Amino acid sequence: MCGILAVLGCSDDSQAKRVRVLELSRRLKHRGPDWSGLYQRGDCYLAHQRLAIIDPASGDQPLFNEDKAIVVTYEEYGENCVDMLDGMFSFVLLDTRDNSFIVAHDAIGITSLYIGWGLDGSIWMSSELKGLNDDCEHFECFRPGHLYSSKSGGLRQWYNLPWFSETIPSTPYDPLALRRALENAVIKRLMTDVPFGVLLSGGLDSSLVASITARHLAGTKAAKQWGAQLHSFCVGLEGSPDLKAAKEVADYLGTVHHEFHFTVQDGIDAIEEVIYHIETYDVTTIRASTPMFLMARKIKALGVKMVISGEGSDEVFGGYLYFHKAPNKEEFHRETCRKIKALHQYDCLRANKATSAWGLEARVPFLDKEFINVAMAIDPEWKMIKPEQGRIEKWVLRRAFDGEERPYLPKHILYRQKEQFSDGVGYSWIDGLKAHAAQHVTDKMMQNAEHIFPHNTPTTEEAYYYRMIFERFFPQNSARLTVPGGASVACSTAKAVEWDAAWSNNLDPSGRAALGFHLSAYDPQASATSAGIMPPNIVDSIPRMMEAGTLGLTISS
């Protein structure tokens, strides 16, 4: 996942300015450690840090006057070329014939991109905040599915599919079409000239991606270069749910499996570095980013430069446990739309920046443009969770891959309950974070929180702790405005909190906050621990037992 920095129309073409742009570009070097380049034309600068996944021996950037896909498409279609692009991208295209430029961001925001404005009238673009926050008067997230044109002087939305406007779809559920769409999305992402693998948590989404990859790897160019046996990677606390499930899936698929362990203290020690890299103070994002950040470092140390991951499925299919409370199919669908539109500030931000911190690229087939077109066109009545009919969360996806002949996954994995990544790595991870924060944030600090942090005021000690670290790295008001806020339960949007009045008393982004649905839900009577790190064998007193209706599935500890 490369890093880009562009300074456009800055009215300064001096050597000192060039040196400053190079200095700022080096802040993004972790994203592209393989090569760097700077193209200057008058008062426009295009800087690039390259992560070489395709054609690593050449293909250095920035590109100019070359026979490349974006350039050729632009030559023929102008700004409308963006509609024809497929994949994850952020790019700046400078037309040297008239010094005009366009900037575009992929439909979902899989890559990260920010736009800023300087006092001298310059416009800045950067893959990360740290590339422009010190030199811009104002900056913000560059919205996914949008394009900036210097000729029109503003942003316009180029991605305009029906689901984006939250129109309720009516296409009947076709399991075969859904399965083919996901298989195609995975196959499309097997194009690589470097060693790669899959992130495997043992949950439904990553397991399906791994299964499809393992089936289709043989015969590809990647298999000829690096071998036909797939490598899989998992991280967790000793004895965590993900480690156990991932090992079982890896054995079933025959992958070369790499299991990485971390301790609560390892994670706590990495928190400041994680916040610097992922550039947020959102609680659930930091919880999940930390183990992914630690895992990415280990993966890169093995010589792997690209991984395929399962982000996006829960947003597309309503897989979070709070969707059990969706009052009707219309609200269910609108919530999935809201979740997908916010991915660039949550899971995409995490997957992109936690891996890019170590020069590792994460590819996400569930957010493939064509796959989303198919999945979001399904009548949401089919996605609704109806336990009395044997339909648990993401039933349409599970059913699409539930075959007796050459099964993709064992039944109990295919129907495993949703675990959020920050929970699945080990329940004591979140408990340990809360206890650590309680040691560093006093009651007096919390009492004054609304005065210290009037925007997105932290309501918990953990949130306050993360906010202090973030503000130290990114003190500008524009920086704090790039982070979303609002009430949430089990990763819901603020709107979905309204689905159940009881949730307002249990606002926590962990999946275990979905009382009555998660197999290891928080004990509502349990008292919070105010000091010390929780031991790794903490369990909740709620019985871990669920029966899933006609599926005949029973899960117990």
Side-chain angles (χ1 to χ4, degrees):
M1 204 76 72
C2 304
I4 61 172
L5 174 66
V7 186
L8 305 157
C10 64
S11 303
D12 183 357
D13 58 0
S14 67
Q15 178 63 19
K17 188 66 175 183
R18 183 183 179 92
V19 169
R20 177 58 177 167
V21 173
L22 283 169
E23 178 187 349
L24 294 173
S25 178
R26 281 192 286 271
R27 295 184 182 181
L28 309 177
K29 193 173 183 178
H30 53 275
R31 297 183 64 90
D34 297 328
W35 197 251
S36 60
L38 173 63
Y39 175 75
Q40 178 185 358
R41 182 178 177 84
D43 59 2
C44 292
Y45 301 81
L46 304 179
H48 186 265
Q49 301 289 341
R50 187 183 183 216
L51 178 62
I53 303 295
I54 303 296
D55 191 16
S58 60
D60 298 328
Q61 299 185 39
L63 302 171
F64 53 96
N65 295 331
E66 291 200 32
D67 184 23
K68 297 296 181 179
I70 294 177
V71 177
V72 171
T73 311
Y74 172 76
E75 285 287 342
E76 186 170 354
Y77 298 100
E79 294 179 5
N80 293 327
C81 70
V82 184
D83 294 284
M84 302 167 190
L85 300 179
D86 185 14
M88 53 183 183
F89 59 83
S90 300
F91 72 82
V92 179
L93 192 153
L94 176 65
D95 191 333
T96 57
R97 293 170 297 191
D98 58 5
N99 241 34
S100 64
F101 62 86
I102 63 170
V103 184
H105 199 187
D106 67 66
I108 307 300
I110 301 169
T111 58
S112 57
L113 186 63
Y114 297 86
I115 180 172
W117 292 267
L119 283 173
D120 59 355
S122 57
I123 297 176
W124 295 58
M125 305 290 169
S126 177
S127 296
E128 296 186 3
L129 278 180
K130 58 184 68 70
L132 51 68
N133 67 308
D134 288 333
D135 289 63
C136 289
E137 186 67 14
H138 176 72
F139 50 89
E140 58 192 46
C141 295
F142 194 107
R143 280 178 278 174
H146 281 69
L147 176 144
Y148 182 94
S149 169
S150 63
K151 292 179 178 178
S152 63
L155 283 167
R156 70 170 176 86
Q157 184 177 320
W158 66 265
Y159 185 69
N160 291 292
L161 289 180
W163 76 264
F164 207 84
S165 62
E166 303 184 11
T167 302
I168 309 301
S170 58
T171 303
Y173 169 51
D174 182 344
L176 183 59
L178 187 63
R179 188 174 76 209
R180 285 174 176 167
L182 183 58
E183 286 184 316
N184 290 338
V186 173
I187 293 168
K188 194 185 301 182
R189 282 154 181 80
L190 297 181
M191 184 171 62
T192 176
D193 293 327
V194 298
F196 83 103
V198 294
L199 301 186
L200 179 60
S201 70
L204 173 68
D205 308 325
S206 65
S207 297
L208 280 178
V209 168
S211 180
I212 296 168
T213 303
R215 285 194 180 207
H216 295 279
L217 181 58
T220 65
K221 180 182 176 182
K224 293 175 184 176
Q225 285 183 297
W226 311 109
Q229 193 172 13
L230 181 64
H231 286 252
S232 57
F233 308 95
C234 185
V235 66
L237 302 177
E238 196 80 53
S240 69
D242 278 3
L243 291 180
K244 180 181 178 182
K247 179 66 165 61
E248 185 177 1
V249 175
D251 289 344
Y252 180 81
L253 298 177
T255 69
V256 179
H257 191 57
H258 307 267
E259 187 176 281
F260 305 123
H261 298 170
F262 76 104
T263 66
V264 172
Q265 192 61 54
D266 290 335
I268 288 171
D269 290 343
I271 287 291
E272 291 205 11
E273 196 174 5
V274 168
I275 292 175
Y276 173 75
H277 277 287
I278 64 173
E279 303 176 325
T280 188
Y281 50 83
D282 175 68
V283 170
T284 190
T285 304
I286 294 169
R287 288 175 176 178
S289 293
T290 303
M292 193 171 197
F293 176 85
L294 297 173
M295 175 172 58
R297 186 176 191 178
K298 291 280 192 178
I299 293 173
K300 186 61 184 291
L302 294 175
V304 173
K305 295 178 71 174
M306 185 272 281
V307 290
I308 305 178
S309 190
E311 277 76 16
S313 174
D314 291 311
E315 287 74 15
V316 172
F317 294 105
Y320 293 105
L321 297 182
Y322 73 89
F323 275 92
H324 278 260
K325 286 285 189 176
N328 51 58
K329 72 174 189 178
E330 290 80 13
E331 264 306 296
F332 189 106
H333 180 72
R334 292 188 188 104
E335 177 69 1
T336 61
C337 294
R338 290 189 291 262
K339 290 292 292 180
I340 296 173
K341 291 177 187 177
L343 270 169
H344 69 291
Q345 295 177 300
Y346 292 103
D347 284 21
C348 284
L349 178 144
R350 166 180 56 78
N352 179 277
K353 293 182 180 178
T355 54
S356 292
W358 302 107
L360 181 68
E361 178 172 291
R363 296 180 178 177
V364 285
F366 279 106
L367 297 178
D368 176 79
K369 194 163 71 169
E370 288 306 312
F371 177 75
I372 289 180
N373 290 350
V374 172
M376 291 303 288
I378 298 171
D379 186 333
E381 181 66 30
W382 288 96
K383 296 182 181 179
M384 291 281 286
I385 302 167
K386 297 182 177 182
E388 70 281 1
Q389 298 179 24
R391 283 163 50 176
I392 62 174
E393 63 276 357
K394 291 186 287 193
W395 178 83
V396 292
L397 179 62
R398 301 175 198 271
R399 182 68 185 85
F401 286 88
D402 190 356
E404 298 301 327
E405 187 177 340
R406 287 192 70 208
Y408 287 80
L409 295 169
K411 290 278 189 186
H412 63 284
I413 294 292
L414 191 62
Y415 290 95
R416 183 189 180 201
Q417 187 181 63
K418 162 68 183 171
E419 285 280 15
Q420 288 169 209
F421 186 57
S422 54
D423 288 326
V425 297
Y427 297 141
S428 59
W429 167 233
I430 293 176
D431 298 326
L433 285 173
K434 290 180 177 180
H436 178 74
Q439 291 178 311
H440 293 81
V441 178
T442 66
D443 291 343
K444 186 177 292 186
M445 294 163 77
M446 290 302 300
Q447 289 168 8
N448 294 321
E450 63 181 313
H451 304 293
I452 303 299
F453 303 118
H455 176 73
N456 281 347
T457 302
T459 58
T460 66
E461 294 159 329
E462 186 185 5
Y464 195 108
Y465 179 68
Y466 299 154
R467 185 65 171 271
M468 288 192 298
I469 298 171
F470 177 88
E471 296 271 346
R472 194 164 72 244
F473 290 130
F474 309 104
Q476 300 87 357
N477 186 55
S478 290
R480 63 182 67 99
L481 293 176
T482 63
V483 182
S488 176
V489 62
C491 279
S492 74
T493 65
K495 180 67 176 174
V497 173
E498 300 172 8
W499 292 351
D500 190 327
W503 284 348
S504 61
N505 298 318
N506 191 49
L507 296 176
D508 190 286
S510 167
R512 287 185 290 160
L515 301 178
F517 301 115
H518 195 287
L519 305 186
S520 295
Y522 285 135
D523 182 350
Q525 303 301 320
S527 59
T529 300
S530 59
I533 299 301
M534 295 285 196
N537 62 347
I538 291 174
V539 293
D540 299 290
S541 60
I542 301 294
R544 297 180 65 182
M545 176 73 74
M546 178 194 76
E547 298 208 8
T550 56
L551 292 174
L553 177 67
T554 302
I555 304 176
S556 62
S557 59

